[in-house]
C-alpha cells in the first residue's frame, strides 16, 4: 500500500496508556476507502506506530490525546515521514511493522470531510462539521457543536461518488462525504442557507401538493442534477400513460376472461396464482374468501385427531389388562432387572477398590522414595558441617517496587542513595552472578550486603570457609546469596556479594583479571543514628529476571559516545577494556535507563562499577578521565 503523497483520514488510538504509545490505521483518502487487501499490507493489524517528532517530544502525549478518534495523516510533503519500525517484535507485543512521525498527524480540518448523520438524536458526529440525511436528501454542512448550518450549504446526490461507507476498527460503520477538490468535478452543489435540512423533530408539515404536481424540490444553484425520488418518477409516468389510454371494457370482466385462459395450462395457472398473491392486500382478501373452507378443514382435522386419541386410549386399556394378567412375569422381570443393576454396581465398586489400592501402592512407593531422599539430605547435612543455604519461595513483584524497597533498606542502614541508584544496583544483582560492594571499609560493605538481603527477603551465608561445602537445597525462587571477602569464578545457583572496600588490598583482585565483575561504590551518610532493620517478604528472583530481559534496547547515542571516549583513553594508556566488561556495559545501560528511569544514573553506575575498577586494577591514572565524567557523582567520587 502506497501512502506517500496522500492526505489520509485515519483512526487514532492509544494502545498502551501506561507508556503513552499511539498508532494510526488508514481509513480512506479523497480517492476512496482503503480495501482489506491494502490494510493487510500493514501487518499485523493494519496500523502504523506514531513516533514523536523531535520538535514536539514535550507536548506529544497531550496533543495526541486531544485529537480524538479521527485524525488526518498529511503525507503530501517532500520529506519521507514513514519508515520501518526498528522495534518491530510481535513476540514482545510490538506488532506494528511501520512507523509514522507525529508532525504529520493533524486534527480534522472543518471543511475537509463530513460525517453523514441520519438524524440529530444519536451520538455526536465524529467530524467538526457534518451533513444531515433526510430520506433521499443529504444536505449540509452543519456545525457539530451548535447543530446550525455553517459554511457554503450543499445538496449531495445520494448516488454521488464522493460518499464513502467506512468500517471503523471498533466495528461501527460510518458514512462520510469527502467533497471534490476545487479543480475536480463538484459532487456537492451549494444551496441557499435558509433551505438547509432541519432536524426531523422540528420540521414543519409539508403542504399538500396538487395531484399531478410533484413536491417542490429545494433550489440547487448551477447544477443540472436534481434528485427526484424513483417512486415519484414512476407515478408521473403512470398518470401520463393512463391519461392517453381510451376508455375500454369493464376491467373485472376482462380479468375474468384472462384468468380463464390462464387457468387452462399447468404452467400459466401457477403463474396466475403467483401474480395474484403478489398484489397488495392479497393475503387478507384471499383469507376472508377461503375462511368457510378453512373452518371445514379444521373441523375434519380435529375429528381425526379425536379418533386417533380414542384408539390410543383403547390400546392402553388392553395393555393394562394384559399387564395385570402377567403380574408374575413382570415381577420376575423386575427381580432380574434389579439383580442386573446390583451386579453392575458391585462391579463398579470392585473397580474403584482396585483403583484405590493401586493409588495406595503408588503413595507408598512415593513415600519410600521421599524417605530415601530424606536420608540422603540428612547425610549431606552431616557432611556439610551445618552450612545449609536454601532459596526462599518468593512472590511476584514489579521491578519499580523492588527498587523502592532496596532504596529504603539501604537508606535505613545509613547509606546515601536514592531510588534510581538502588534500581541500578538491583539490575546489577539480577544480571551479574557476583557483585562487589565497595564501602569506605569492609564493615560498611558487609552492612550493605545484609541490607540488600533483608530488602529482597533472601537468605545469605556469611563468609563460609569454603563455598563448595555449603549445601544448596533445591526449590524456591527467591534470592540466595553468599557474602565473601573475595571474588572468583562466577557461581552457579546463588549470588556472590563481595564485601570489598574502595582501597582494599591486592588479594581482593586475584581473580578479577580472569573474570571481571562489577564493583559498585557505596557512600555512608555522616553522623550517628540508630539503623532500622525492617524485614520484608521474599521476592521471586526468577520473576524479576524475566522482567529485566523483556526489553533490551540499543545504547543511547550520547552514552555510546562517552563510553567510546573512555575506552579509547584506556586503550591509549595500554589497558584496553576486556570484551566481557564491554558486553556487560552494553547490556546494563539500556536496561538501567528503561527500568531505573535515568540515563545519567545508568551511565554513572556503569562507569563507576565497570570501567573505573578495571582502570585501578591495571594501575591506570584515572584522573585523565575526569573531563569525561563531569556531572556523574559516583564516578567523580571514585576519582578522588
Amino acid at each position: 500500500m502506497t501512502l506517500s503523497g496522500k492526505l489520509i483520514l485515519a483512526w487514532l488510538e492509544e494502545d498502551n496508556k501506561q507508556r503513552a504509545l499511539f498508532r494510526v490505521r488508514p481509513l480512506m483518502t479523497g480517492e476512496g476507502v482503503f480495501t482489506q487487501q491494502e490494510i493487510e499490507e500493514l501487518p499485523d493489524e493494519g496500523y502504523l506506530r506514531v513516533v514523536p517528532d523531535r520538535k514536539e517530544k514535550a507536548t506529544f502525549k497531550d496533543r495526541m490525546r486531544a485529537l480524538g478518534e479521527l485524525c488526518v495523516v498529511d503525507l503530501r510533503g517532500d520529506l519521507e515521514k514513514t519508515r520501518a519500525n526498528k522495534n518491530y517484535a510481535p513476540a514482545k507485543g510490538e506488532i506494528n511493522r511501520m512507523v509514522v512521525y507525529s508532525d504529520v498527524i493533524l486534527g480534522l480540518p472543518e471543511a475537509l470531510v463530513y460525517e453523514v448523520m441520519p438524524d440529530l438524536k444519536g451520538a455526536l458526529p465524529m467530524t467538526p462539521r457534518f451533513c444531515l440525511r433526510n430520506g433521499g436528501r443529504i444536505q449540509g454542512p452543519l456545525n457539530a457543536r451548535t447543530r446550525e448550518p455553517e459554511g457554503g450549504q450543499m445538496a449531495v446526490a445520494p448516488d454521488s461518488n464522493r460518499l464513502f461507507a467506512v468500517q471503523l476498527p471498533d466495528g461501527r460503520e460510518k458514512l462520510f462525504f469527502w467533497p471534490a477538490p476545487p479543480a475536480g468535478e463538484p459532487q456537492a452543489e451549494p444551496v441557499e442557507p435558509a433551505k438547509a435540512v432541519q432536524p426531523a423533530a422540528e420540521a414543519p408539515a409539508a403542504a399538500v401538493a396538487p395531484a399531478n404536481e410533484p413536491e417542490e424540490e429545494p433550489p440547487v444553484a448551477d447544477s443540472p442534477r436534481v434528485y427526484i425520488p424513483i417512486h415519484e418518477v414512476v407515478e408521473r409516468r403512470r398518470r401520463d400513460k393512463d391519461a392517453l389510454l381510451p376508455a375500454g371494457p369493464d376491467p373485472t370482466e376482462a380479468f375474468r376472461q384472462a384468468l380463464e385462459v390462464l387457468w387452462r395450462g399447468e404452467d400459466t395457472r401457477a403463474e396466475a396464482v403467483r401474480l395474484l398473491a403478489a398484489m397488495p392486500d392479497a393475503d387478507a382478501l384471499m383469507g376472508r374468501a377461503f375462511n368457510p373452507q378453512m373452518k371445514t378443514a379444521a373441523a375434519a382435522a380435529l375429528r381425526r385427531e379425536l379418533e386417533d386419541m380414542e384408539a390410543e386410549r383403547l390400546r392402553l386399556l388392553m395393555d393394562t389388562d394384559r399387564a395385570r394378567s402377567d403380574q408374575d412375569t413382570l415381577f420376575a422381570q423386575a427381580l432380574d432387572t434389579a439383580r442386573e443393576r446390583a451386579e453392575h454396581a458391585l462391579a463398579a465398586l470392585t473397580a474403584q477398590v482396585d483403583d484405590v489400592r493401586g493409588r495406595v501402592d503408588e503413595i507408598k512407593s512415593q513415600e519410600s522414595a521421599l524417605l530415601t531422599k530424606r536420608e540422603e539430605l540428612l547425610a549431606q547435612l552431616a557432611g556439610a558441617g551445618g552450612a545449609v543455604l536454601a532459596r526462599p519461595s518468593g512472590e511476584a513483584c514489579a521491578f519499580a517496587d523492588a527498587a523502592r524497597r532496596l532504596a529504603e533498606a539501604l537508606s535505613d542502614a545509613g547509606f546515601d542513595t536514592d531510588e534510581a541508584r538502588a534500581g541500578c544496583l538491583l539490575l546489577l544483582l539480577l544480571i551479574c552472578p557476583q557483585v562487589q560492594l565497595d564501602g569506605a571499609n569492609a564493615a560498611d560493605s558487609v552492612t550493605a550486603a545484609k541490607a540488600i538481603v533483608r530488602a529482597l527477603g533472601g537468605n545469605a551465608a556469611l563468609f563460609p570457609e569454603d563455598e563448595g561445602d555449603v549445601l544448596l537445597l533445591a526449590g524456591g525462587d527467591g534470592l540466595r546469596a553468599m557474602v565473601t571477602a573475595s571474588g572468583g569464578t562466577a557461581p552457579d545457583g546463588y549470588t556472590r556479594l563481595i564485601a570489598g572496600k574502595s582501597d582494599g588490598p591486592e588479594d581482593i583482585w586475584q581473580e578479577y583479571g580472569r573474570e571481571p565483575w562489577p564493583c559498585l561504590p557505596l557512600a555512608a551518610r555522616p553522623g550517628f543514628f540508630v539503623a532500622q532493620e525492617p524485614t520484608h517478604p521474599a521476592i521471586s528472583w526468577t520473576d524479576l529476571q524475566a522482567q529485566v530481559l523483556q526489553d533490551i534496547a540499543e545504547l543511547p547515542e550520547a552514552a555510546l559516545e562517552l563510553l567510546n571516549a573512555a575506552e579509547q583513553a584506556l586503550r591509549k594508556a595500554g589497558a584496553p577494556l576486556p570484551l566481557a566488561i564491554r558486553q556487560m556495559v552494553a547490556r546494563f545501560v539500556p536496561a538501567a535507563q528503561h527500568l531505573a528511569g535515568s540515563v545519567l544514573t545508568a551511565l554513572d553506575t556503569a562507569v563507576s562499577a565497570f570501567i573505573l575498577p578495571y582502570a585501578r586494577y591495571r594501575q591506570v591514572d584515572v584522573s585523565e578521565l575526569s573531563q569525561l565524567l563531569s556531572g556523574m557523582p559516583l564516578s567523580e567520587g571514585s576519582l578522588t
Side-chain angles (χ1 to χ4, degrees):
M1 174 171 48
T2 302
L3 301 177
S4 298
K6 295 181 179 180
L7 183 63
I8 303 168
L9 178 67
W11 175 269
L12 174 65
E13 72 176 30
E14 185 176 4
D15 58 319
N16 190 327
K17 296 185 180 296
Q18 184 178 5
R19 299 173 61 187
L21 297 180
F22 297 83
R23 60 180 186 172
V24 293
R25 178 174 179 178
L27 298 177
M28 60 177 288
T29 66
E31 301 172 358
V33 180
F34 286 103
T35 64
Q36 184 63 30
Q37 181 179 0
E38 292 174 320
I39 292 298
E40 290 174 355
E41 293 178 17
L42 294 173
D44 294 335
E45 296 179 354
Y47 286 82
L48 293 90
R49 170 67 64 204
V50 180
V51 176
D53 185 72
R54 288 180 296 179
K55 299 178 181 179
E56 69 157 0
K57 287 187 177 181
T59 61
F60 169 73
K61 176 177 65 175
D62 294 334
R63 190 176 75 85
M64 289 296 108
R65 289 176 176 168
L67 291 180
E69 295 178 329
L70 291 183
C71 67
V72 169
V73 182
D74 191 357
L75 299 177
R76 298 174 297 179
D78 296 331
L79 298 179
E80 182 61 41
K81 290 297 183 177
T82 61
R83 60 170 174 82
N85 189 354
K86 295 186 291 186
N87 296 323
Y88 176 73
K92 297 182 180 180
E94 180 50 75
I95 59 175
N96 305 287
R97 190 184 295 273
M98 301 295 293
V99 301
V100 59
Y101 289 96
S102 63
D103 60 335
V104 297
I105 308 297
L106 309 174
L108 278 177
E110 292 183 346
L112 178 66
V113 61
Y114 312 118
E115 181 182 356
V116 179
M117 303 289 293
D119 53 52
L120 299 176
K121 299 179 181 178
L124 293 175
M126 301 182 70
T127 54
R129 294 179 180 177
F130 68 100
C131 292
L132 192 62
R133 175 170 56 86
N134 186 4
R137 301 173 181 174
I138 301 176
Q139 289 183 288
L142 288 79
N143 186 285
R145 182 176 57 84
T146 63
R147 308 293 180 92
E148 297 294 332
E150 187 173 86
Q153 297 297 292
M154 297 173 288
V156 184
D159 60 344
S160 171
N161 60 0
R162 309 301 296 180
L163 289 172
F164 304 100
V166 179
Q167 183 79 26
L168 300 181
D170 62 358
R172 294 178 295 169
E173 185 170 350
K174 295 287 186 178
L175 183 63
F176 294 94
F177 171 61
W178 191 311
E185 179 185 355
Q187 295 294 331
E189 297 80 19
V191 300
E192 294 295 331
K195 298 297 184 178
V197 176
Q198 298 299 323
E202 301 175 2
V208 178
N212 296 326
E213 295 284 337
E215 182 180 350
E216 183 180 358
E217 295 291 324
V220 179
D222 299 330
S223 174
R225 302 178 61 185
V226 178
Y227 172 69
I228 301 176
I230 187 64
H231 67 86
E232 195 167 307
V233 175
V234 173
E235 183 63 21
R236 284 185 182 181
R237 294 183 178 180
R238 187 190 64 79
R239 288 200 300 264
D240 294 342
K241 185 176 180 180
D242 291 345
L244 297 176
L245 292 176
D250 181 23
T252 304
E253 180 62 24
F255 174 72
R256 185 186 63 77
Q257 294 175 2
L259 186 60
E260 289 179 355
V261 174
L262 291 173
W263 208 259
R264 294 170 187 169
E266 188 69 25
D267 296 337
T268 55
R269 183 186 304 172
E271 182 67 14
V273 173
R274 187 187 66 80
L275 293 174
L276 184 60
M279 298 300 292
D281 300 328
D283 293 342
L285 293 174
M286 286 191 291
R288 288 197 294 269
F290 297 153
N291 191 41
Q293 300 177 15
M294 293 175 62
K295 288 183 177 179
T296 303
L302 182 60
R303 187 180 302 107
R304 286 194 298 271
E305 187 175 355
L306 289 174
E307 292 174 354
D308 293 341
M309 293 174 63
E310 181 63 19
E312 181 66 16
R313 187 181 71 83
L314 293 176
R315 188 186 65 78
L316 291 175
L317 288 175
M318 293 175 65
D319 290 344
T320 302
D321 293 339
R322 189 180 301 110
R324 288 173 181 171
S325 62
D326 297 338
Q327 183 175 5
D328 294 339
T329 304
L330 291 174
F331 184 71
Q333 291 177 353
L335 287 178
D336 292 340
T337 302
R339 186 182 299 108
E340 184 178 356
R341 291 179 178 176
E343 290 175 352
H344 284 306
L346 181 60
L349 289 175
T350 303
Q352 291 180 4
V353 170
D354 293 339
D355 181 60
V356 170
R357 287 175 178 172
R359 293 182 182 179
V360 170
D361 293 339
E362 184 180 354
I363 291 173
K364 288 182 178 179
S365 177
Q366 294 176 356
E367 180 186 15
S368 177
L370 290 174
L371 290 174
T372 303
K373 190 173 183 179
R374 173 178 174 271
E375 296 298 329
E376 294 176 353
L377 289 175
L378 290 175
Q380 292 178 3
L381 288 174
V388 180
L389 186 58
R391 186 188 296 275
S393 295
E395 57 187 18
C397 179
F399 182 90
D401 296 335
R404 190 178 304 111
R405 278 169 52 170
L406 183 57
E408 293 174 356
L410 289 173
S411 179
D412 291 341
F415 291 95
D416 184 14
T417 187
D418 55 28
E419 190 171 327
R421 283 187 283 177
C424 292
L425 171 58
L426 178 59
L427 181 59
L428 286 175
L429 296 172
L430 288 168
I431 66 177
C432 299
Q434 54 185 343
V435 177
Q436 181 169 323
L437 306 174
D438 282 343
N441 48 67
D444 285 358
S445 300
V446 175
T447 300
K450 291 179 179 180
I452 292 171
V453 174
R454 283 197 308 272
L456 302 176
N459 292 332
L462 300 178
F463 302 102
E465 294 183 2
D466 188 347
E467 296 180 30
D469 292 339
V470 178
L471 178 60
L472 303 177
L473 297 181
D477 61 351
L479 172 64
R480 176 166 55 189
M482 291 192 192
V483 181
T484 64
S486 61
T489 303
D492 184 19
Y494 62 94
T495 300
R496 181 184 291 128
L497 299 178
I498 305 169
K501 58 180 181 177
S502 58
D503 56 348
E506 292 297 328
D507 58 356
I508 291 182
W509 306 91
Q510 58 185 350
E511 300 289 343
Y512 181 84
R514 292 191 296 270
E515 194 169 354
W517 56 77
C519 306
L520 185 67
L522 295 172
R525 298 197 307 270
F528 297 85
F529 48 85
V530 178
Q532 303 295 324
E533 299 181 354
T535 58
H536 297 281
I539 293 176
S540 173
W541 205 243
T542 305
D543 179 72
L544 278 179
Q545 289 175 330
Q547 295 180 42
V548 168
L549 297 176
Q550 281 182 357
D551 297 311
I552 301 299
E554 298 179 355
L555 277 170
E557 184 176 353
L560 187 59
E561 291 179 359
L562 188 145
L563 293 172
N564 285 333
E567 197 270 337
Q568 290 295 331
L570 291 178
R571 186 180 298 275
K572 290 180 180 179
L577 279 175
L579 280 173
I581 291 181
R582 284 183 278 163
Q583 292 169 356
M584 284 190 289
V585 170
R587 183 184 181 190
F588 170 79
V589 173
Q593 176 190 0
H594 174 69
L595 296 170
S598 171
V599 64
L600 182 61
T601 303
L603 196 58
D604 189 14
T605 305
V607 173
S608 61
F610 290 101
I611 297 178
L612 294 181
Y614 183 76
R616 290 199 303 270
Y617 165 72
R618 294 296 302 270
Q619 298 181 355
V620 175
D621 184 8
V622 295
S623 62
E624 297 181 1
L625 301 177
S626 59
Q627 294 182 352
L628 298 175
L629 308 181
S630 176
M632 299 183 184
L634 281 178
S635 302
E636 289 179 336
S638 300
L639 294 177
T640 58

